[in-house]
């Protein structure tokens, strides 16, 4: 089926002007596109590389109409996009990603339902609306467990680990707002991986190398490629994303986070856009997750992915920025990205470093020499 092609020189609208929007815009500018961004923060990271910024709330329908008039195609940098706004762009045939991927990934209950319907494996879970239901769910699931809000939440926010019955009072306080919650078994696993991929309008999928993710205090600290898993686990990860991409009708770059235990793979979370764990692709692959995303939403053919032997991406948080930037000339052997954020809060993602090489051992030595391993 023939699809619309957005040609170079046209305007791409981006909902959200953070670092992901900025990196999308840089890739699009490289290809000759103009950029319009909608974000409530004046001089957001994306604004410095955009042609126009609309300063408004994400659910402002008048601002959304303005973005639509300016843009030939529209995408988003995060999944908590107002669904009414997304459906507005979809009705105007300007958002090829559609609203379904957003609807699914905004809600952990729907994420789990879609995964199960696709025949995939997820940790045991229950949906609860009250403290009494939580107690019943814990009787069935056992301890430890984790309770999460079904919507919102990132970098460990919006969730609480319940180690034992003594923690039930903490869980009661966590549920004070009376929302809907998901309770999951606390899965013991060997490592967490993410499969970042891009699907074009023609249904073709290109996968980036499977990556291992290491977190500190619930925030992604390091992404390592290649992930230390056997070939059959890579194949299972491929099957997972192909099943989800087909079921949701993915267009653009998408990420699926998974837990690996032995040779088993469990779905954790999905992100319907370029992902923090895919930043290494900018230097370590012949095409980045961002350029591939722009190609997909503009109806262009995807590029086959080739990569270096190994790569490590390390997030730079606010507490690291001064240490690094004030002595940047003393460090070597990595690519440095600063997101242009004004306020360097302690655990705010301010940038990242990417080390590339032939193998992880050589890269780890370079990380140690630069003392990045102490972060």
């Amino acid at each position: 089926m023939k699809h619309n092609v957005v040609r170079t020189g046209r305007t791409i609208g981006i909902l959200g002007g953070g670092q992901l929007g900025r990196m999308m815009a840089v890739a699009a500018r490289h290809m000759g596109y103009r950029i319009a961004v909608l974000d409530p923060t004046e001089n957001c990271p994306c604004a410095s590389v955009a042609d126009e910024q609309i300063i408004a709330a994400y659910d402002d329908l008048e601002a959304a109409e303005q973005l639509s008039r300016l843009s030939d195609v529209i995408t988003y940098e995060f999944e908590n996009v107002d669904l009414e706004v997304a459906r507005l762009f979809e009705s105007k045939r300007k958002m090829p990603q559609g609203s379904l991927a957003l609807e699914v990934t905004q809600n952990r209950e729907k994420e789990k339902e879609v995964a199960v319907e696709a025949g995939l494996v997820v940790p045991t879970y229950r949906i609860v609306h009250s403290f009494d239901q939580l107690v019943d769910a814990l009787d069935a699931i056992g301890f430890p467990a984790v309770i999460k809000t079904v919507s919102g939440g990132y970098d460990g926010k919006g969730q609480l680990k319940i180690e034992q019955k003594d923690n039930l009072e903490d869980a009661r306080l966590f549920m004070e707002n009376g929302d809907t919650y998901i309770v999951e078994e606390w899965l013991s696993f060997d490592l967490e991986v993410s499969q970042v991929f891009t699907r074009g309008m023609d249904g073709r999928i290109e996968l980036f190398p499977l990556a291992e993710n290491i977190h500190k205090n619930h925030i992604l600290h390091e992404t390592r490629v290649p992930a230390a898993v056997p070939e059959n686990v890579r194949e299972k990860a491929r099957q997972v994303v192909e099943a989800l991409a087909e079921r949701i009708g993915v267009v653009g770059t998408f990420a699926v986070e998974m837990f690996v235990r032995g040779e088993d793979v469990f779905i954790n979370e999905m992100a319907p856009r370029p992902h923090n764990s895919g930043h290494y692709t900018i230097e370590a692959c012949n095409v980045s997750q961002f350029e591939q995303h722009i190609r997909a939403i503009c109806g262009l053919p995807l590029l086959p992915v080739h990569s270096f032997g190994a790569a490590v991406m390390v997030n730079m948080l606010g507490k690291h920025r001064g240490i690094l930037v004030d002595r940047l000339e003393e460090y070597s052997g990595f690519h440095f990205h600063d997101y242009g954020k004004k306020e360097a809060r302690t655990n705010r993602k301010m940038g990242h470093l990417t080390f590339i090489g032939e193998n992880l051992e050589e890269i780890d030595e370079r990380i140690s020499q630069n003392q990045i391993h102490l972060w």
Side-chain angles (χ1 to χ4, degrees):
M1 184 173 66
K2 189 172 176 60
H3 50 257
N4 293 332
V5 175
V6 179
R7 303 190 183 281
T8 185
R10 301 289 189 178
T11 298
I12 297 172
I14 301 176
L15 273 170
Q19 65 262 27
L20 295 178
R22 177 188 178 101
M23 287 182 272
M24 278 185 206
V26 169
R29 292 287 243 168
H30 171 72
M31 299 168 70
Y33 290 101
R34 292 173 53 81
I35 299 295
V37 60
L38 190 158
D39 192 281
T41 304
E42 187 176 4
N43 296 320
C44 59
C46 187
S48 64
V49 290
D51 296 280
E52 300 195 48
Q53 182 188 359
I54 300 167
I55 302 171
Y58 297 123
D59 60 355
D60 186 325
L61 289 176
E62 186 177 332
E65 288 280 8
Q66 185 181 352
L67 183 66
S68 181
R69 289 193 297 272
L70 289 171
S71 307
D72 297 280
V73 66
I74 296 170
T75 186
Y76 46 82
E77 70 144 12
F78 63 105
E79 52 268 40
N80 292 319
V81 172
D82 184 83
L83 281 177
E84 189 176 356
V85 168
R87 288 169 182 148
L88 169 69
F89 296 143
E90 190 176 23
S91 70
K92 295 175 180 290
R93 300 174 62 85
K94 289 195 173 182
M95 197 169 75
Q97 293 162 270
S99 60
L100 178 59
L102 287 170
E103 185 177 346
V104 169
T105 56
Q106 283 180 5
N107 187 291
R108 289 185 170 107
E109 181 179 5
K110 289 181 180 177
E111 272 191 342
K112 292 290 192 292
E113 288 174 352
V114 165
V116 171
E117 288 166 3
L120 305 174
V121 182
V122 300
T124 303
Y125 75 96
R126 296 285 189 278
I127 301 300
V128 301
H129 305 278
S130 68
F131 181 73
D132 288 343
Q133 289 179 353
L134 168 66
V135 172
D136 290 341
L138 290 170
D139 285 341
I141 293 172
F143 295 93
V146 59
I147 182 171
K148 304 175 183 178
T149 55
V150 293
S151 59
Y154 62 95
D155 289 345
K157 298 177 178 66
Q159 62 180 269
L160 174 72
K161 185 178 181 182
I162 308 171
E163 296 272 9
Q164 53 192 356
K165 283 189 176 181
D166 291 349
N167 299 130
L168 284 176
E169 187 56 36
D170 293 334
R172 187 195 295 273
L173 293 172
F174 182 81
M175 299 179 71
E176 273 187 331
N177 290 333
D179 295 326
T180 300
Y181 301 89
I182 184 168
V183 184
E184 298 178 17
E185 65 173 314
W186 186 268
L187 195 70
S188 59
F189 57 90
D190 302 323
L191 71 163
E192 180 183 309
V193 298
S194 59
Q195 181 63 77
V196 178
F197 68 95
T198 311
R199 185 173 184 263
M201 290 186 192
D202 59 0
R204 176 184 163 196
I205 292 175
E206 284 290 341
L207 278 70
F208 292 97
L210 188 68
E212 177 181 351
N213 294 327
I214 298 171
H215 293 80
K216 287 187 177 181
N217 300 318
H218 303 290
I219 301 172
L220 180 62
H221 169 65
E222 191 172 287
T223 295
R224 299 169 65 82
V225 174
V229 297
E231 186 56 39
N232 62 334
V233 169
R234 296 180 197 282
E235 177 60 21
K236 286 181 180 179
R238 182 188 66 79
Q239 292 171 357
V240 162
V241 299
E242 287 181 352
L244 289 173
E246 187 65 29
R247 191 163 194 87
I248 299 173
V250 170
V251 173
T253 294
F254 197 99
V256 182
E257 295 176 280
M258 294 166 267
F259 298 128
V260 178
R261 184 170 67 191
E263 297 186 355
D264 296 323
V265 172
F266 300 81
I267 311 299
N268 181 24
E269 293 182 349
M270 311 173 201
R273 36 104 182 140
H275 193 256
N276 192 178
S277 66
H279 291 349
Y280 74 90
T281 63
I282 298 172
E283 287 90 15
C285 298
N286 62 307
V287 58
S288 74
Q289 62 169 345
F290 301 101
E291 181 180 343
Q292 204 83 300
H293 180 73
I294 297 301
R295 286 175 169 273
I297 65 168
C298 291
L300 303 178
L302 304 182
L303 289 173
V305 176
H306 305 287
S307 63
F308 274 86
V312 175
M313 186 282 303
V314 182
N315 270 328
M316 178 181 72
L317 305 182
K319 60 188 175 185
H320 307 135
R321 191 177 184 279
I323 300 169
L324 182 68
V325 173
D326 291 347
R327 298 189 290 116
L328 198 56
E329 70 279 6
E330 298 176 22
Y331 297 91
S332 64
F334 58 80
H335 298 271
F336 172 57
H337 292 256
D338 188 285
Y339 300 150
K341 296 179 179 178
K342 303 299 181 188
E343 185 183 354
R345 297 194 296 272
T346 300
N347 289 319
R348 190 184 195 192
K349 292 171 185 171
M350 301 298 295
H352 70 267
L353 319 177
T354 304
F355 297 79
I356 54 176
E358 293 302 314
N359 57 69
L360 287 170
E361 291 76 12
E362 178 263 321
I363 292 175
D364 284 341
E365 178 62 27
R366 230 183 308 150
I367 289 173
S368 181
Q369 288 172 355
N370 284 283
Q371 297 192 316
I372 305 299
H373 66 293
L374 299 177
W375 282 11

